mmCIF file of all heavy atoms in Angstrom:
data_model
loop_
_atom_site.group_PDB
_atom_site.id
_atom_site.type_symbol
_atom_site.label_atom_id
_atom_site.label_comp_id
_atom_site.label_asym_id
_atom_site.label_seq_id
_atom_site.Cartn_x
_atom_site.Cartn_y
_atom_site.Cartn_z
ATOM 1 N N LYS X 40 98.642 97.446 94.711
ATOM 2 C CA LYS X 40 98.324 98.101 93.431
ATOM 3 C C LYS X 40 99.158 99.357 93.212
ATOM 4 O O LYS X 40 99.694 99.591 92.130
ATOM 5 C CB LYS X 40 96.827 98.453 93.370
ATOM 6 C CG LYS X 40 95.906 97.251 93.576
ATOM 7 C CD LYS X 40 94.433 97.640 93.508
ATOM 8 C CE LYS X 40 93.979 98.552 94.628
ATOM 9 N NZ LYS X 40 94.039 97.932 95.966
ATOM 10 N N SER X 41 99.253 100.184 94.258
ATOM 11 C CA SER X 41 99.965 101.456 94.094
ATOM 12 C C SER X 41 101.471 101.260 93.993
ATOM 13 O O SER X 41 102.153 101.972 93.246
ATOM 14 C CB SER X 41 99.632 102.409 95.246
ATOM 15 O OG SER X 41 98.274 102.796 95.163
ATOM 16 N N SER X 60 99.563 108.854 94.911
ATOM 17 C CA SER X 60 98.363 108.109 94.553
ATOM 18 C C SER X 60 97.254 109.115 94.243
ATOM 19 O O SER X 60 96.990 110.009 95.035
ATOM 20 C CB SER X 60 97.956 107.204 95.714
ATOM 21 O OG SER X 60 97.430 106.006 95.218
ATOM 22 N N ASP X 80 92.913 106.361 89.864
ATOM 23 C CA ASP X 80 92.510 105.659 91.082
ATOM 24 C C ASP X 80 91.034 105.972 91.279
ATOM 25 O O ASP X 80 90.657 107.080 91.657
ATOM 26 C CB ASP X 80 93.331 106.112 92.287
ATOM 27 C CG ASP X 80 92.977 105.314 93.540
ATOM 28 O OD1 ASP X 80 91.856 104.764 93.620
ATOM 29 O OD2 ASP X 80 93.825 105.239 94.450
ATOM 30 N N GLU X 107 93.531 101.809 88.893
ATOM 31 C CA GLU X 107 93.244 101.145 90.165
ATOM 32 C C GLU X 107 91.744 101.226 90.425
ATOM 33 O O GLU X 107 91.106 102.202 90.096
ATOM 34 C CB GLU X 107 94.016 101.818 91.305
ATOM 35 C CG GLU X 107 95.527 101.695 91.147
ATOM 36 C CD GLU X 107 96.295 102.229 92.347
ATOM 37 O OE1 GLU X 107 96.015 101.810 93.476
ATOM 38 O OE2 GLU X 107 97.187 103.070 92.132
HETATM 39 MG MG1 MG L 202 96.478 102.334 96.078
#
Side-chain angles (χ1 to χ4, degrees):
K40 304 180 294 295
S41 293
S60 216
D80 184 336
E107 296 186 53

